[in-house]
Amino acid sequence: MMAKLLFSILLGCLFITTIVGQGKFEQLGSALPTPNSYRTASGAPGHEYWQQRADYNIKVTLDDSNQSITGSETITYFNNSPDVLTYLWLQLDQNRRAKDSDSYKVSTSTVGNEMTEVQAEAMLNDFDGGHKISSITDITGKALKYTIQKTMMRVELPAPLAKGQSFSFAIKWSYNINDRLKIGGRSGYEYFPKDDNYLYTIAQFFPRMCVYDDVSGWQNKQFLGAGEFTLTFGNYLVEITVPEDHLVAATGELQNMPQLLTKNQLAKYNKAKTETVQPIIIATEEEAREREKTKLKGTKTWKFKADNVRDFAFASSRKFIWDAMAVVQNGKTIMAMSMYPKEGNPLWEKYSTKAVAHTLNTYSQYTFDYPYPVAWSINADKIGMEYPMICFNFGRCEEDGSYTERIKYGMISVIIHEVGHNYFPMIVNSDERQWTWMDEGLNSYLQFLSESLWQRDYPSRRGPAENIVSYMSGEQSGLTPIMTNSENIKQFGNNAYGKPATALNILRETILGRELFDYAFKEYSNRWKFKNPTPADFFRTIEDASSVDLDWFWKGWFYGTDPVDLSLEEVKVFKSNPSDPKALLEMKQAEMAEAENYVYKEKNKKEIKQTYVEKDTTLLDLYNKQIPNAALIEKTKQSSTSIAPSKAEQMNYYQMTFKNVGGLPMPIIMSFEYTDGTSEKVVIPAEIWRFDDKSVTKVFPREKEIKNVVLDPNYETADINRTNNHYPKKEEVNRFQLFKERDSRP
């Protein structure tokens, strides 16, 4: 597997080098997969498109005393492919926490002057993690042969599985839950020493089917921690047994609510199903505080059902407060809900569920109606992680209930982002293990739109072009193309979240315009909902639906690391010679008057006593370089017939030379400010660079005189150097901190 992974990395590097090495306006062409009956040249699923399915029946018990999980599951796997399968691959993601995990072996580390507890715990690596597989059998109880290969497990089929057939098998397993705040992880527990309680956010807790598709066969790349999850859609029935005073939130709809809630809680829940403005608190903070103290010893089983989802996760704690409200889309009611400990109040009670509802409404505006019945936001410290219908989000208050502006907007943003993942990749089911940007980048772009609709001047981190400038201006050795395997990305957040979000925003605002891009993006979303798209499907769909050739854009922004740095190198001003003799005479007089200051003329006045023309004045006429005598000037004026100047003669011609310093071609966007106080915005498409991607020159005829020119006046191209964006040249002020000398005397 390691040889296969290394070959894949080398091949990917060669592929990207080949793409970037071509002319910047050459077509991607054969760089994209050849269209076929599964995936078309337009970017749509083909008429023979297929995907596998896996249904799960899971029973799991949470041990709150020992922080462990014990479970059993029956998986029914449907082979919809044209291929005959002789074995199945499953993901054992908890094996990343095993003591012999490659994640620990390949991670680099240093000891500096300071080290966090999380870093120290990770180096010690004394946690007994990983899946413990008790048995794997067919539905008759007969043992099946299996092989665990690090974070993957191969199960041998007793007979080949042909197209249209299904196979059911059972697995029993267990594992120890990790302390998420000490050794990290997307899933785990959080301990509250003050009241001696736990809050569990549990995911990747059961062996899950790998994807088998027409692109990669089995997607069984090892899980090293960065690349997330490539998963198959299916139907889930899950029973979760927890302490009887815990509240549980999970993927899917709760099937036995009347047996679990008090009459008062059930009445509040039913009321929340009709409340679309303010959330209803179903389980109060006072109730949560009481549960923290009493700690009942029995257990209850919560039963959930989820159809057509790619994964399952849940949260459980006796500390939870619970509120909910309804979101109505085309007559369908969706329950937007939150669970959080008292440590999150009043921040979470005020914002969380409303942020969930807002996200469902705004994302649906740009994609499709939310298809699931519930959407949960769960408070867990120092995390943001997503699963179908449920996500885990940070945001805590101080003990007195206060919170900073940074925490407030950080919490709202992470909720929008993680709830937004329901659309990408939970529904538009891209391969996260291979292409992080296809879910994180697209989702970060929609997050930016959603934040803009939440509040004017929202402090968005990702999306605006200027916010990616510092990353794109960094050393090339520290950058990787967006089209890099998820486990090999440098500067993960900027690369997989920020840069693709910025690229899509530039496409929307500058390259295509909002109407054209929104149509194309919505087309992609609807083509591939509940299906498995690839990057080529995205690229092709956007071009197909917009009728704009964007190969240059994909190559520059997604396959390369060049920054945007367009420079206004030179401006020359030209005026035409007038055809009107009077105007020509006046121009000549002005030119000759100015020329009198030339240094050689000053010297000639003293050294040359008399020229030939000065001796013989009959040689004087309108076109002499010297100024004729006053009588001749007057005679010329009287004898000349005035000719009305043409429009071309009235124009000022500004010849501008632009240089592509950074290497990434982009539209040339300028603001012209005229001497009369008016201004004009000029946009030249990026195709101006197609014949010479290093330097271009263009003439701009204008009746008015230009006072100054600014490149990228609205900060929309992520230009990393604005010192070369002005005519006349403008001094850029670099600010520094001036420290006043302090009196060192005691």
Side-chain angles (χ1 to χ4, degrees):
M1 183 64 197
M2 184 57 69
K4 179 181 176 183
L5 179 60
L6 289 172
F7 176 75
S8 175
I9 294 170
L10 290 172
L11 186 63
C13 292
L14 177 62
F15 170 68
I16 290 169
T17 302
T18 302
I19 291 296
V20 175
Q22 294 176 352
K24 298 185 189 308
F25 281 86
E26 294 300 318
Q27 296 295 288
L28 284 173
S30 60
L32 298 180
T34 303
N36 52 45
S37 59
Y38 308 135
R39 298 169 190 272
T40 69
S42 70
H47 67 280
E48 292 185 311
Y49 174 83
W50 56 268
Q51 63 188 39
Q52 309 290 65
R53 174 180 155 196
D55 291 349
Y56 296 81
N57 193 322
I58 302 172
K59 294 182 180 179
V60 62
T61 299
L62 171 64
D63 186 338
D64 189 39
S65 299
N66 298 303
Q67 288 71 58
S68 64
I69 290 279
T70 303
S72 64
E73 63 184 308
T74 298
I75 304 174
T76 300
Y77 187 76
F78 299 84
N79 183 15
N80 298 321
S81 78
D83 307 324
V84 176
L85 304 178
T86 57
Y87 50 78
L88 306 177
W89 278 101
L90 290 87
Q91 303 182 53
L92 301 180
D93 300 297
Q94 289 299 326
N95 282 4
R96 181 182 176 261
R97 296 285 167 204
K99 288 189 175 182
D100 62 349
S101 168
D102 279 358
S103 296
Y104 298 121
K105 295 175 183 177
V106 302
S107 64
T108 59
S109 55
T110 58
V111 177
N113 294 327
E114 295 181 352
M115 186 184 300
T116 66
E117 185 179 4
V118 172
Q119 291 170 326
E121 291 281 353
M123 288 182 185
L124 291 174
N125 188 25
D126 60 357
F127 174 66
D128 183 19
H131 274 109
K132 277 72 174 176
I133 304 296
S134 301
S135 66
I136 302 180
T137 66
D138 64 18
I139 54 175
T140 68
K142 184 179 179 180
L144 295 174
K145 183 179 179 181
Y146 65 93
T147 301
I148 295 177
Q149 169 62 6
K150 300 177 182 178
T151 61
M152 296 291 162
M153 179 171 66
R154 186 182 66 238
V155 176
E156 309 293 331
L157 291 169
L161 190 66
K163 178 181 179 179
Q165 294 182 334
S166 64
F167 178 72
S168 296
F169 61 107
I171 306 176
K172 292 183 179 179
W173 43 268
S174 63
Y175 74 91
N176 294 318
I177 305 171
N178 54 296
D179 184 332
R180 200 173 41 72
L181 296 184
K182 284 189 176 181
I183 63 174
R186 290 178 167 83
S187 150
Y189 71 77
E190 178 184 352
Y191 178 61
F192 293 80
K194 286 188 176 181
D195 52 60
D196 188 30
N197 278 294
Y198 293 84
L199 190 159
Y200 299 90
T201 47
I202 304 299
Q204 295 90 248
F205 64 96
F206 60 101
R208 304 178 295 174
M209 291 302 309
C210 293
V211 164
Y212 183 83
D213 65 16
D214 62 289
V215 178
S216 303
W218 285 109
Q219 172 50 290
N220 51 10
K221 291 183 183 296
Q222 292 293 331
F223 178 43
L224 298 178
E228 291 182 341
F229 313 110
T230 309
L231 299 163
T232 298
F233 286 111
N235 300 329
Y236 285 72
L237 290 172
V238 182
E239 297 183 12
I240 306 169
T241 300
V242 299
E244 65 177 302
D245 52 1
H246 274 215
L247 293 178
V248 177
T251 300
E253 285 188 291
L254 183 59
Q255 301 297 293
N256 58 337
M257 187 178 291
Q259 290 76 47
L260 298 168
L261 305 188
T262 66
K263 289 183 179 180
N264 186 39
Q265 290 172 340
L266 189 59
K268 290 179 179 178
Y269 180 84
N270 288 328
K271 182 180 179 182
K273 289 194 291 186
T274 62
E275 178 55 63
T276 59
V277 179
Q278 297 294 337
I280 301 296
I281 298 178
I282 297 165
T284 67
E285 182 173 329
E286 290 72 24
E287 292 170 340
R289 288 178 179 273
E290 185 61 28
R291 289 194 303 272
E292 288 176 353
K293 298 174 184 176
T294 54
K295 299 182 183 176
L296 302 179
K297 300 300 182 181
T299 62
K300 284 184 179 180
T301 298
W302 296 60
K303 300 179 181 180
F304 292 89
K305 183 177 185 293
D307 291 337
N308 205 18
V309 294
R310 60 170 238 158
D311 200 1
F312 191 98
F314 70 92
S316 181
S317 180
R318 62 175 53 89
K319 293 178 65 64
F320 278 147
I321 303 161
W322 177 7
D323 67 41
M325 66 184 292
V327 176
V328 180
Q329 293 183 352
N330 289 323
K332 178 184 176 182
T333 298
I334 304 149
M335 294 304 294
M337 298 188 284
S338 299
M339 281 189 181
Y340 42 94
K342 64 181 184 297
E343 287 79 5
N345 257 349
L347 189 63
W348 271 66
E349 182 179 315
K350 184 177 181 67
Y351 291 113
S352 177
T353 297
K354 287 186 177 181
V356 175
H358 175 74
T359 305
L360 298 182
N361 285 326
T362 54
Y363 273 58
S364 295
Q365 176 182 335
Y366 296 106
T367 57
F368 42 75
D369 285 352
Y370 184 73
Y372 294 133
V374 301
W376 282 101
S377 171
I378 309 300
N379 181 234
D381 198 21
K382 298 185 173 90
I383 190 175
M385 193 58 205
E386 72 280 357
Y387 302 93
M389 304 187 224
I390 189 170
C391 55
F392 312 143
N393 307 307
F394 67 79
R396 294 281 168 81
C397 300
E398 302 295 333
E399 289 191 11
D400 62 0
S402 63
Y403 51 84
T404 64
E405 182 181 39
R406 182 170 177 267
I407 286 293
K408 170 193 169 180
Y409 286 110
M411 186 206 83
I412 294 171
S413 288
V414 76
I415 292 173
I416 291 173
H417 183 89
E418 306 305 344
V419 172
H421 270 306
N422 277 288
Y423 296 80
F424 304 91
M426 303 305 158
I427 298 168
V428 181
N429 187 27
S430 57
D431 181 351
E432 294 182 276
R433 186 63 50 86
Q434 181 70 14
W435 309 114
T436 297
W437 71 267
M438 288 196 73
D439 71 292
E440 298 295 359
L442 270 61
N443 185 40
S444 295
Y445 156 72
L446 286 171
Q447 175 191 342
F448 172 59
L449 299 186
S450 190
E451 288 170 349
S452 299
L453 291 167
W454 176 275
Q455 175 185 313
R456 295 191 189 278
D457 300 319
Y458 190 98
S460 295
R461 288 179 59 209
R462 294 176 174 131
E466 64 269 22
N467 290 4
I468 202 66
V469 165
S470 61
Y471 166 70
M472 293 184 70
S473 60
E475 289 291 331
Q476 287 288 309
S477 60
L479 306 179
T480 50
I482 292 174
M483 288 288 289
T484 298
N485 178 278
S486 300
E487 295 289 2
N488 306 326
I489 293 171
K490 297 178 181 178
Q491 300 192 55
F492 201 87
N494 283 319
N495 177 287
Y497 294 65
K499 189 178 177 183
T502 302
L504 296 182
N505 192 44
I506 289 173
L507 270 183
R508 183 176 190 251
E509 300 290 0
T510 302
I511 310 297
L512 297 180
R514 292 188 175 189
E515 183 177 357
L516 203 57
F517 181 78
D518 289 352
Y519 180 90
F521 191 85
K522 197 163 194 172
E523 180 68 17
Y524 167 75
S525 303
N526 281 277
R527 281 181 177 183
W528 289 98
K529 64 182 178 182
F530 297 111
K531 295 182 176 68
N532 307 334
T534 67
D537 299 319
F538 177 75
F539 298 151
R540 285 169 165 158
T541 294
I542 299 300
E543 292 194 25
D544 182 69
S546 67
S547 184
V548 178
D549 181 0
L550 295 169
D551 281 19
W552 65 271
F553 189 86
W554 309 131
K555 289 174 70 174
W557 279 88
F558 287 79
Y559 289 93
T561 58
D562 284 343
V564 180
D565 182 8
L566 303 187
S567 171
L568 180 52
E569 290 289 294
E570 182 182 56
V571 178
K572 292 183 178 179
V573 185
F574 295 88
K575 293 176 181 282
S576 68
N577 284 333
S579 56
D580 186 345
K582 291 183 179 179
L584 183 60
L585 176 61
E586 291 171 357
M587 182 189 74
K588 290 291 184 181
Q589 289 178 264
E591 289 176 352
M592 286 187 285
E594 183 178 350
E596 286 300 307
N597 296 321
Y598 294 169
V599 63
Y600 75 91
K601 289 193 175 184
E602 290 293 328
K603 293 181 179 180
N604 285 347
K605 285 179 182 179
K606 297 178 181 178
E607 296 179 11
I608 300 175
K609 302 303 181 182
Q610 192 176 36
T611 66
Y612 185 47
V613 172
E614 290 171 346
K615 291 179 182 178
D616 186 354
T617 58
T618 62
L619 297 174
L620 292 174
D621 69 0
L622 177 65
Y623 305 107
N624 276 93
K625 300 246 184 220
Q626 295 183 10
I627 300 175
N629 58 50
L632 180 60
I633 292 174
E634 186 60 30
K635 182 178 179 181
T636 303
K637 285 183 177 181
Q638 293 174 0
S639 63
S640 299
T641 302
S642 181
I643 302 173
S646 66
K647 182 176 181 180
E649 289 177 333
Q650 298 179 58
M651 304 297 283
N652 303 296
Y653 294 86
Y654 295 89
Q655 179 179 295
M656 301 186 189
T657 299
F658 306 92
K659 188 175 180 181
N660 184 1
V661 181
L664 177 52
M666 286 292 284
I668 298 174
I669 305 169
M670 295 174 287
S671 172
F672 292 169
E673 182 183 352
Y674 298 104
T675 54
D676 66 359
T678 61
S679 62
E680 176 189 9
K681 185 175 182 179
V682 177
V683 178
I684 303 171
E687 282 77 7
I688 193 173
W689 301 99
R690 68 194 186 281
F691 297 123
D692 186 342
D693 58 34
K694 296 180 175 58
S695 181
V696 294
T697 299
K698 188 174 178 62
V699 175
F700 299 87
R702 291 295 185 273
E703 291 185 26
K704 300 177 181 180
E705 290 188 14
I706 293 178
K707 181 180 179 182
N708 61 60
V709 181
V710 180
L711 277 180
D712 191 23
N714 301 117
Y715 297 80
E716 55 188 299
T717 67
D719 194 316
I720 67 168
N721 178 16
R722 301 190 64 82
T723 62
N724 54 19
N725 285 18
H726 301 273
Y727 164 78
K729 296 297 182 184
K730 179 181 178 181
E731 292 290 335
E732 290 287 325
V733 178
N734 295 315
R735 297 192 177 276
F736 68 96
Q737 184 67 47
L738 182 63
F739 293 97
K740 295 182 178 180
E741 292 184 354
R742 297 181 182 274
D743 192 338
S744 59
R745 293 173 297 179

